C-alpha cells in the first residue's frame, strides 16, 4: 500500500469541499484499489488529499490517485475551478531508488549482511 498526496488549489481561498471524500470514491474505476482517503486543508485554498492505494507499485499508485482526481475535477461542477498543483508519494530517495531498480538475474536480491556493522 502506498500513500500518495495530491495537492489541489481551490478557488477563492476555500479550504473545504463538502462530501469530497465520497465524491472522489465515486470516481474510483474498476481495478483501482483505494483503501482510504484523508483531507488536509492548508493555507490560501490549498488542500492535500491523501490516497492510500493498494495493489500497485509507487508509480502506479501515483497514476491512480492522479487519474481519480482528474476525473472528479472534470465531472463535478463544484470542483470545476480547482486545479492539481502536485501529485507524489512520500518516499525516502534511497528506498525509491532501490524499488525502481530492476531486479537482477535470478538469485539473491538483498545485500549480504555486513558482519561487522550488522547492517545489510
Amino acid at each position: 500500500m502506498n500513500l500518495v498526496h495530491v495537492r489541489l488549489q481551490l478557488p477563492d481561498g476555500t479550504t473545504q469541499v463538502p462530501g469530497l471524500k465520497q465524491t472522489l470514491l465515486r470516481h474510483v474505476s474498476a481495478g483501482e484499489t483505494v483503501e482510504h482517503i484523508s483531507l488536509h486543508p492548508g493555507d490560501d485554498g490549498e488542500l492535500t488529499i491523501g490516497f492510500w492505494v493498494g495493489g500497485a507499485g509507487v508509480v502506479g499508485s501515483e497514476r491512480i490517485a492522479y487519474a481519480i482526481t482528474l476525473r472528479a475535477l472534470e465531472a463535478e461542477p463544484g470542483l470545476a475551478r480547482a486545479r492539481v498543483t502536485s501529485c507524489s508519494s512520500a518516499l525516502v530517495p534511497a528506498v525509491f531508488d532501490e524499488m525502481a531498480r530492476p531486479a537482477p538475474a535470478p538469485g539473491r536480491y538483498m545485500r549480504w549482511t555486513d558482519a561487522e556493522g550488522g547492517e545489510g
Side-chain angles (χ1 to χ4, degrees):
M1 184 160 335
N2 296 295
L3 172 60
V4 179
H5 290 128
V6 176
R7 287 171 187 82
L8 292 182
Q9 183 66 45
L10 299 171
D12 305 322
T14 306
T15 58
Q16 296 186 20
V17 177
L20 183 57
K21 286 183 192 181
Q22 293 76 21
T23 298
L24 291 165
L25 287 170
R26 281 197 310 268
H27 292 282
V28 175
S29 294
E32 296 175 337
T33 304
V34 175
E35 301 289 335
H36 178 71
I37 295 175
S38 60
L39 304 175
H40 307 281
D43 296 329
D44 298 325
E46 183 178 88
L47 177 68
T48 300
I49 306 167
F51 287 88
W52 288 96
V53 181
V58 172
V59 174
S61 295
E62 289 175 345
R63 287 181 181 147
I64 288 169
Y66 186 66
I68 292 167
T69 304
L70 288 183
R71 287 194 292 265
L73 294 182
E74 291 171 2
E76 302 293 332
L79 296 172
R81 293 181 30 222
R83 64 181 176 86
V84 175
T85 59
S86 69
C87 175
S88 62
S89 296
L91 293 172
V92 177
V95 174
F96 179 77
D97 289 344
E98 187 68 24
M99 291 169 51
R101 186 176 65 166
R108 186 173 173 87
Y109 182 69
M110 297 177 62
R111 294 184 313 156
W112 290 98
T113 301
D114 178 0
E116 291 181 24
E119 296 182 12

